[in-house]
Amino acid sequence: MKNIFSKILLSAVLLILININSAKSQESLYKRLGGYDAISMVSDDFINKLATDKQLSVFVKGLSVDSQKRLRQHLVDFLCNATGGPCLYLGRDMKTAHTGLNISENDWNLVANLLAETLDKFNVGKKEKDEVLVAVASIKNQIVGQ
């Protein structure tokens, strides 16, 4: 009887541990990144990198303070939404927003590298970093060459 009880108890503990691990792996990327505040910090750092990059600053140079704030909020909302968070992206579609900017493949690659650097700066894990970069890459064809 004691042996059966021990086996049942051990099985129950194992099931609980499996469920805890399963729940962690099912957490959204948004939660694994640290939520809204973490995405906001990443966005701020990333925009600063864009604004200070010799080649890419042309895309943000000359924006009014209001436009800078709007750009930041759109980026935060986009990343929040793309990573499974509760935010709604209310900006223009990517193609419309980037038409006329003539963003090249090289520009895109530089932007992706800056985003990767920012994620590294905030010690984002490899798995989460790769997931963010894949989410962003999904809109590449709507941005490059528009």
Side-chain angles (χ1 to χ4, degrees):
M1 181 84 154
K2 189 175 182 182
N3 194 15
I4 293 174
F5 178 74
S6 295
K7 287 180 181 180
I8 292 172
L9 182 60
L10 179 60
S11 296
V13 169
L14 287 174
L15 284 173
I16 290 170
L17 291 174
I18 290 169
N19 285 333
I20 289 171
N21 284 336
S22 177
K24 282 185 178 180
S25 68
Q26 292 177 9
E27 273 189 334
S28 68
L29 177 56
Y30 171 81
K31 285 186 179 182
R32 288 182 282 135
L33 289 171
Y36 191 88
D37 291 341
I39 288 174
S40 295
M41 289 189 300
V42 164
S43 296
D44 290 342
D45 188 79
F46 175 65
I47 290 171
N48 185 57
K49 284 183 181 351
L50 287 176
T52 58
D53 183 89
K54 288 183 180 182
Q55 183 174 334
L56 300 173
S57 63
V58 67
F59 298 114
V60 294
K61 189 176 172 181
L63 293 178
S64 68
V65 172
D66 181 60
S67 293
Q68 291 171 15
K69 289 178 183 178
R70 194 170 336 118
L71 170 66
R72 182 213 185 250
Q73 193 60 55
H74 285 319
L75 180 59
V76 170
D77 290 343
F78 171 79
L79 289 174
C80 175
N81 182 272
T83 59
C87 304
L88 293 175
Y89 172 75
L90 299 174
R92 295 174 290 168
D93 66 272
M94 291 297 139
K95 186 172 182 175
T96 300
H98 295 88
T99 294
L101 294 177
N102 299 315
I103 296 171
S104 69
E105 184 78 25
N106 187 50
D107 295 329
W108 176 268
N109 292 334
L110 288 172
V111 167
N113 287 334
L114 291 179
L115 180 56
E117 285 176 18
T118 296
L119 295 170
D120 288 341
K121 176 181 176 178
F122 288 96
N123 299 313
V124 173
K126 180 176 175 14
K127 179 181 181 208
E128 287 76 16
K129 176 181 163 183
D130 290 346
E131 288 180 49
V132 169
L133 294 174
V134 166
V136 171
S138 72
I139 59 169
K140 177 181 176 182
N141 66 344
Q142 301 168 47
I143 294 174
V144 174
Q146 300 304 320

